[in-house]
Amino acid sequence: MYSKMRWLRRFLVAALLAVSPFAPAGAASLPSLFGGPIELVDHDGRTVTDQDFAGRFMLVYFGYTHCPDICPTDLAAMAAALDDIGPLAARLRPVFITLDPERDTAEVLRDYVHAFHPSLVGLTGSASQIAAAAKAYRVHRRVFRVEGGAKEDYFVDHSSLAYLMGPDGKFVTMFPHATPSARIAEILGKYLAG
């Protein structure tokens, strides 16, 4: 467990360095590790792929609706940042991909995402579709069942990063957990205004 966590920390530090303006030479290839083809179901029950978002920036966050604190905190910050950038937000599609397809149906996601921001899209799918999307974005996830609890009593431990993807579908930068909304808005504004 310790070695896995140490590896994950090193990977995230390397990833953040790669998107820093002070990234060492040769690190530019690391951003190609994030993103890729996805096929999921949106909160209105329609099948969508990464191609449905082509031509627009995407702000992609993985989580689940039963998340007690991390997901709501990050989604609220994303929503506030979208409000702060005003008309530039029209160039961006914020996306919430569940890591808990067992409980997060399209209907559940619809109510959840609309509670944060009207433009936020919730995506779910089969277990294999979610696994493929998580793999494409290098998202760590692990289910912890409550001992002696009901089948639906579990938590999902997961990476908490928001990925900014460009109109060409390629990775641009990422926002770690608890990035202040003002900082998100500042960085989004820089890319979206360009």
Side-chain angles (χ1 to χ4, degrees):
M1 174 74 167
Y2 174 73
S3 62
K4 279 186 182 179
M5 290 305 294
R6 187 167 56 182
W7 177 88
L8 182 60
R9 279 193 204 102
R10 285 182 182 166
F11 180 80
L12 291 175
V13 167
L16 290 171
L17 280 174
V19 298
S20 162
F22 307 106
S29 63
L30 189 59
S32 65
L33 292 175
F34 302 105
I38 59 170
E39 182 176 333
L40 297 166
V41 176
D42 74 10
H43 62 251
D44 290 321
R46 295 179 299 232
T47 298
V48 297
T49 71
D50 51 300
Q51 292 306 304
D52 290 299
F53 302 101
R56 295 179 80 176
F57 284 89
M58 290 173 61
L59 186 58
V60 182
Y61 188 85
F62 287 80
Y64 69 116
T65 64
H66 286 74
C67 184
D69 50 13
I70 292 173
C71 298
T73 298
D74 289 343
L75 290 173
M78 285 170 51
L82 291 173
D83 289 340
D84 288 348
I85 62 174
L88 286 176
R91 297 193 62 206
L92 175 93
R93 178 56 91 188
V95 177
F96 175 77
I97 302 176
T98 184
L99 292 169
D100 184 12
E102 185 178 326
R103 292 181 293 194
D104 290 345
T105 63
E107 295 79 16
V108 169
L109 283 176
R110 186 184 312 116
D111 292 339
Y112 187 77
V113 297
H114 286 166
F116 289 97
H117 200 273
S119 67
L120 184 59
V121 176
L123 298 179
T124 188
S126 67
S128 61
Q129 287 174 316
I130 295 299
K135 182 177 180 182
Y137 282 83
R138 305 299 193 267
V139 173
H140 157 79
R141 65 191 178 113
R142 191 165 148 197
V143 174
F144 289 94
R145 300 270 173 194
V146 176
E147 190 174 335
K151 180 184 173 191
E152 63 275 2
D153 289 340
Y154 59 87
F155 298 95
V156 181
D157 179 36
H158 61 89
S159 312
S160 52
L161 299 166
Y163 304 85
L164 180 63
M165 309 301 288
D168 58 359
K170 297 201 182 295
F171 175 82
V172 176
T173 191
M174 64 174 65
F175 302 96
H177 168 61
T179 301
S181 62
R183 180 65 177 150
I184 297 173
E186 177 188 355
I187 294 170
L188 289 180
K190 173 180 129 182
Y191 287 108
L192 297 173

